[in-house]
Amino acid sequence: MRSVTRKLAMTSAVAAASLGAVMASVGTASADPTVTPAATDIVSVGSDTIQSFDNGLSVAYNATSPASKYYSWDATPAGNIVPKTGAATIARPNGSSAGISTLNSTTHTTVDIARSSRGPKTGTADWFIPFAVDGVGWSAYTGGHAPANLTSAELTGIYNCTYTTWNSLPSNPTSSTATIKVYLPQANSGTRSFFLQALGITATSEPCWQTATPEENEGTDAAFQSNPDAIFPYSLSHYVGQVYKGKGGGTDLPGALDANRSLDGVAQILTASQDWNSALSLTYTRNVYHVVRQADWSDPVQGPRLKALLDRAISNGWLCKNGASLITSYGFHTLGAACGTRTAGI
Amino acid sequence: MNRTAVRALAAAVALAATAVALPSASATGTPASGSVALTATNTFLSQALQSGIAAVPLPSATGSYDSTAGATVSFPVTGGNAVLPRFYGSLTLGGGLAFADGRTGKIVCFHQVAFGADTQALTAVPDGGTAPVALFDLGDNTVGSAVGVTPQTLTGDADVDPAGAAYLDKALNTTFFTGGQVVGSLSVTFTPAS
């Protein structure tokens, strides 16, 4: 039976790969659901970094006419949303941690999945289910004072305020004397959380951090305009998606910033192959996740709905079995056999 | 299993008992440690034995049996750069595994056992060969530890890898193995060298 299942799975995978190619060609998928999801549908909230991917996932998955369709609510704009029929009215979660908090303060009648670009914290309420790999690097004002390369020590020194001017960087002593404008995304951002952790910074604020906290991966923010000293972390997958894959639009674009820089001498972006560089240190790459309640995963009604979308390929989870071309079309790297491996956390 | 196969397997075990590889370690630190444990359920064991097939751990792998859980082969970690929560790198493992078929009298031994954190597969090199064969994969219900947790773990159902099934059936002249065949469970525990 398993071999027959696998043959069927391979056939489905080929079909899905074709579907993914079609998806990749149609550009940015729509943002919030254009219909009110049914009570039995699956809805997600949370991360900005993977929201474009999840919008595309929604379109691709729902085209297969699943029993429970999947809809993804963007991280912005601020305000209240009613995620699906019969749901409670909630403040729209902006960011991974906000999405996870909402997941854990509601039930499946309101939210089923939190999108997360950060990993699990200690706890047992949820399953973190990875589906792709992202790189997180640094971006700066195009044509500004930032150098082409920063070392890890310099990047840490910038964000812990050791280096406050460009010419204080050990590798850059003859450059501008201008003050570095250090930006981070808002506090609930998974990219912010991961980036600071990668740099070994545990402080929740530093004197050199700018007050403004622009939406992550959006160099279009007013804070960056005519700001040649701006520096800002960036999801490299999202950057590739915006610049090379046609997945940006509106404010969701690099704007005044570019991530076409080097980190420890390793180019973050491979312009020839239009990809981010997997040679970056493991420190600067991360898994990205869908987060579900453990109770829902094992529930006889909710579990099959979630597993049909998120389970491992061998268990016929749609994303892990069929989503490779969709994942790369948004600039992320695939996880292969590891897709769908669960980790407990909150 | 017939007498010929038993003798063949016993001989193979003796011949295959190679020097035990010591865990790699940093110059002054603690060596990498841990194990990969493959458990075959009683259901799988019964099916295999009814087909004349038996498997035996080769030193420094160890075997045990529990009437409820089934038979477990445990391979000690000897080194590796794996980061299991990131599905990165691989583990090198000590010992080996011998498969014998009592009906055909054929036997095949594997050494150079390894586990790929990215492929989530247990591989080994057949004696006399050079290329690793993927024997078993982590299947359904795979759960891992979070980044920063020590020891790192990965556990889940164990399936026969399609490549392993093809290799074993050819080597043993059997038709028992199938890609995706559920064997039991696979449990990986790893503490990196420090």
Side-chain angles (χ1 to χ4, degrees), chain A residues 2 285 287 312 314-315 341-342, chain B residues 86 120 139-140 142 144 159:
Chain A
R2 291 296 283 269
T285 67
N287 300 328
R312 288 164 67 82
I314 196 168
S315 308
T341 300
R342 288 173 283 137
Chain B
R86 295 296 319 279
Q120 298 197 343
D140 291 351
T142 299
D159 296 345

Side-chain angles (χ1 to χ4, degrees), chain A residues 146-192:
Chain A
N149 177 68
L150 288 173
T151 66
S152 288
E154 288 174 329
L155 197 54
T156 300
I158 289 172
Y159 274 87
N160 69 15
C161 308
T162 299
Y163 304 126
T164 57
T165 61
W166 295 110
N167 70 336
S168 66
L169 295 171
S171 66
N172 210 31
T174 61
S175 67
S176 170
T177 58
T179 299
I180 304 171
K181 300 288 181 60
V182 181
Y183 289 91
L184 283 165
Q186 48 92 18
N188 282 315
S189 161
T191 298
R192 172 185 173 130

